């Protein structure tokens, strides 16, 4: 079951070639537990893998890479909605489309996000104003140290903006095995994002005749028109988080750059990182087979299938330029391994 010296290029959407000292594809909880036991006896670090769409491999991984591949998807109708039990290895987009086909809303804004269910809670995936946490009930995870199963409620997960306890206090401590979501029977569309409004206006779609399927299809169309499909152009989605800044910096930037794209975020302001990178002149830039997507500057692309250090070097150059030009610190969104 455990292989040694395995190429991880097929397991990351950046298509970075890096090797894992050991690799295992687990499709049952017993296999997962055995893999963890193997790693424990050899004192190996663990790299949990789903679809590999939010990681950057900066070199060979000296431990055990575990592809979490348990399957199973159940929809339980309730009086007031539907409950979804999804195993970690199920594909996120397929889950969204199944729920839409059944006529339930709640996940349609999250259509076409790559990756698997197991990774969705890690950064509380979000798009077009909707986040996983809005429909999340609970998850089951296996503790890496003991192999024990633990349940996390929404409160336990401490979800935030592209954030959860699994990026902080519980980082590297659990493998997520399954997730339970609940979609309401009564649906409220979330279509405030300008791209969605524009799409419906362009297509003559009355806003009072929206259905979950109509919104999902709009999201799919918009995303296909501006985001690179990782199967064709290797990438890891948004490379940087949208920075959240205090009022004085926002006011100074808005005065010097009246076109600044920013949104209120509690008492602070969320800046569109893509806008800053675009304004700094990076959109469409390519060097050594690594570059910045020409339709969305927030996405770094790796058409030359280059190594992780080339990607990291470009990211550092961009972040340092944005710091110099705007006084704003950009933080990468994908997780770097090792
Ligand atoms: P991976 O990349 O395999 O893993 C991501 C992290 O989670 C790693 O740290 C990994 O170790 C860990 N992990 C994976 N599975 C488990 C598990 N079972 N248990 C514990 N840890 C685990 N994200 C958004 O939020 N919104 C978007 O709109 C969005 N759009 C994207 C568009 C594109 C084109 C791309 C390439 C990415 C996009 N992303 C987006 C980022 C990415 O798709 C999500 O973060 C997704 O949830 C990652 O899933 P994955 O299975 O590929 O995770
Ligand atoms: P977009 O619609 O061009 O918007 C640009 C930025 O402005 C986004 O980052 C978004 O923040 C923010 N924004 C726009 N309208 C907003 C509103 N009404 N209220 C608050 N914030 C608003 O962005 P895009 O690049 O095409 O992406 C569309 C959606 O998919 C976004 O939600 C984005 O986060 C998501 N996405 C995520 C990834 C990823 O890898 N994480 C990759 C591609 C797309 P938010 O990012 O906070 O929504």
């Amino acid at each position: 079951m455990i292989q040694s010296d395995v190429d991880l290029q097929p397991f990351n959407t950046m298509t970075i070639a890096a090797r894992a000292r050991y690799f295992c594809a687990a499709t049952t909880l017993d296999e997962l537990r055995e893999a963890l036991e193997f790693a424990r006896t050899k004192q190996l670090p663990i790299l949990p893998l789903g679809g590999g769409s939010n990681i950057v491999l900066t070199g060979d991984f000296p431990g055990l890479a575990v592809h979490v591949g348990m399957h199973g998807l159940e929809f339980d109708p309730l009086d007031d909605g539907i409950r979804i039990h999804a195993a970690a290895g199920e594909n996120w987009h397929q889950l969204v489309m199944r729920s839409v086909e059944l006529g339930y809303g709640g996940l349609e804004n999250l259509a076409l996000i790559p990756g698997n269910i197991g990774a969705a809670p890690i950064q509380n995936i979000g798009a077009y104003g909707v986040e996983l946490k809005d429909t999340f009930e609970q998850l089951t995870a296996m503790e890496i140290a003991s192999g024990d199963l633990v349940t996390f409620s929404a409160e336990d997960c401490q979800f935030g903006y592209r954030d959860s306890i699994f990026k902080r206090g519980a980082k590297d401590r659990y493998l997520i095995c399954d997730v339970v979501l609940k979609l309401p029977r009564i649906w409220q569309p979330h279509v405030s994002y300008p791209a969605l409004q524009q799409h419906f206006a362009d297509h003559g779609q009355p806003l009072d005749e929206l259905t979950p399927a109509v919104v999902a299809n709009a999201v799919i169309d918009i995303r296909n028109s501006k985001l690179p499909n990782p199967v064709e152009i290797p990438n890891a989605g948004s490379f940087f988080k949208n920075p959240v800044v205090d009022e004085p910096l926002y006011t100074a930037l808005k005065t010097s750059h009246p076109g600044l794209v920013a949104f209120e975020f509690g008492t602070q302001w969320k800046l569109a990182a893509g806008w800053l990178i675009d304004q700094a002149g990076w959109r469409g830039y390519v060097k050594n087979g690594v570059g910045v997507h020409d339709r969305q500057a927030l996405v770094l692309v790796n058409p030359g299938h280059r190594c992780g250090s080339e990607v990291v070097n470009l990211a550092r150059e961009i972040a340092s330029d944005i710091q110099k030009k705007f006084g704003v610190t950009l933080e990468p969104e994908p997780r770097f391994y090792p």
Side-chain angles (χ1 to χ4, degrees):
M1 185 179 97
I2 308 230
Q3 301 162 256
S4 42
D5 191 28
V6 170
D7 180 9
L8 293 178
Q9 194 170 32
F11 297 97
N12 73 98
T13 61
M14 267 281 184
T15 67
I16 292 169
R19 304 192 81 78
R21 183 168 169 210
Y22 295 102
F23 174 88
C24 155
T27 54
T28 65
L29 290 179
D30 283 343
E31 287 177 358
L32 205 56
R33 208 171 272 116
E34 275 177 46
L36 292 183
E37 244 171 66
F38 171 86
R40 221 173 294 132
T41 49
K42 289 194 172 303
Q43 297 192 320
L44 300 169
I46 300 284
L47 162 52
L49 281 173
S53 64
N54 213 18
I55 57 169
V56 177
L57 298 170
T58 56
D60 291 342
F61 186 71
L64 173 67
V66 183
H67 185 260
V68 186
M70 288 85 73
H71 284 284
L73 193 53
E74 280 172 31
F75 292 82
D76 293 337
L78 309 165
D79 287 344
D80 60 347
I82 196 161
R83 183 166 283 128
I84 307 173
H85 297 261
E90 293 290 333
N91 176 270
W92 173 260
H93 174 67
Q94 281 168 19
L95 164 85
V96 172
M97 295 319 285
R98 281 281 301 280
S99 69
V100 165
E101 279 157 28
L102 290 171
Y104 286 91
L107 300 179
E108 59 285 348
N109 291 36
L110 305 177
L112 223 55
I113 297 181
N116 294 350
I117 307 291
I122 302 282
Q123 73 159 359
N124 177 29
I125 55 170
Y128 300 100
V130 171
E131 296 176 325
L132 177 80
K133 76 169 172 52
D134 302 330
T135 49
F136 179 94
E137 278 202 335
Q138 65 171 59
L139 64 78
T140 311
M142 188 176 284
E143 191 183 27
I144 290 176
S146 63
D148 292 344
L149 291 177
V150 187
T151 300
F152 286 77
S153 66
E155 198 186 336
D156 296 334
C157 291
Q158 298 176 17
F159 289 124
Y161 176 60
R162 309 289 187 270
D163 192 33
S164 76
I165 193 170
F166 302 105
K167 285 187 155 193
R168 292 177 279 108
K171 188 175 175 182
D172 294 333
R173 286 182 50 202
Y174 296 94
L175 294 178
I176 294 172
C177 300
D178 62 61
V179 173
V180 181
L181 307 176
K182 186 181 165 194
L183 309 187
R185 182 167 292 284
I186 296 168
W187 174 65
Q188 190 65 42
H190 293 278
V191 292
S192 67
Y193 271 45
L196 281 171
Q197 293 281 335
Q198 189 62 50
H199 186 276
F200 295 134
D202 291 348
H203 290 78
Q205 169 67 48
L207 295 183
D208 55 1
E209 289 174 18
L210 292 174
T211 63
V214 167
V215 177
N217 287 330
V219 167
I220 291 169
D221 280 356
I222 298 167
R223 291 181 72 109
N224 279 334
S225 72
K226 66 185 292 196
L227 290 170
N229 179 346
V231 175
E232 290 155 14
I233 306 176
N235 75 90
S238 303
F239 203 89
F240 298 101
K241 296 178 193 167
N242 284 327
V244 175
V245 301
D246 291 335
E247 179 80 35
L249 178 53
Y250 163 74
T251 308
L253 284 172
K254 190 74 185 166
T255 308
S256 53
H257 302 85
L260 179 75
V261 178
F263 300 86
E264 278 189 81
F265 193 83
T267 57
Q268 298 175 293
W269 289 83
K270 176 184 76 179
L271 311 181
W275 186 87
L276 298 173
I277 298 168
D278 191 1
Q279 288 298 301
W282 287 98
R283 185 152 59 90
Y285 175 90
V286 185
K287 183 179 165 188
N288 298 333
V290 179
V292 179
H293 189 50
D294 56 3
R295 273 170 284 156
Q296 169 49 293
L298 193 48
V299 177
L300 300 197
V301 292
N302 187 19
H305 312 284
R306 304 306 295 252
C307 62
S309 57
E310 302 272 8
V311 176
V312 173
N313 284 345
L314 175 61
R316 281 207 190 109
E317 261 186 78
I318 294 172
S320 140
D321 191 40
I322 298 303
Q323 185 75 55
K324 218 173 349 164
K325 289 187 170 133
F326 301 100
V328 172
T329 305
L330 290 185
E331 271 181 58
E333 182 185 284
R335 174 93 186 261
F336 291 8
Y337 290 95

